[in-house]
Amino acid sequence: MPAAILGILVGWLALNKFYLGYTKEGVIQLVLNIITFGAASIIPFIEGILYLFMSDKQFDDTYVYGKKGWL
């Protein structure tokens, strides 16, 4: 739940990536947001929505244990 809220509300700062421990992906997201003047912040917004609709088990399997960095 915290990763979803971070992705939706402050995804432009890539806080959802850093919260999940994905430092490399977080830095990439920050750079993309700077280069595209914030247009790339749609990615963490979509990820936040996806996180909300996943079950806890599916989220854990995909992002915690599976270490899937993007969508």
Side-chain angles (χ1 to χ4, degrees):
M1 186 64 107
I5 293 170
L6 289 171
I8 292 170
L9 297 180
V10 288
W12 58 276
L13 290 173
L15 293 181
N16 61 322
K17 298 289 187 196
F18 292 118
Y19 178 78
L20 291 172
Y22 300 138
T23 306
K24 180 178 79 173
E25 289 86 350
V27 171
I28 291 170
Q29 183 66 49
L30 282 172
V31 170
L32 282 174
N33 285 335
I34 292 169
I35 291 172
T36 64
F37 300 105
S41 62
I42 191 72
I43 295 168
F45 181 79
I46 292 170
E47 287 179 334
I49 300 292
L50 290 174
Y51 297 163
L52 282 178
F53 288 103
M54 285 184 176
S55 69
D56 289 342
K57 182 179 180 344
Q58 184 181 11
F59 179 85
D60 287 344
D61 290 345
T62 305
Y63 296 103
V64 177
Y65 304 119
K67 295 290 183 187
K68 182 179 177 186
W70 299 96
L71 299 174

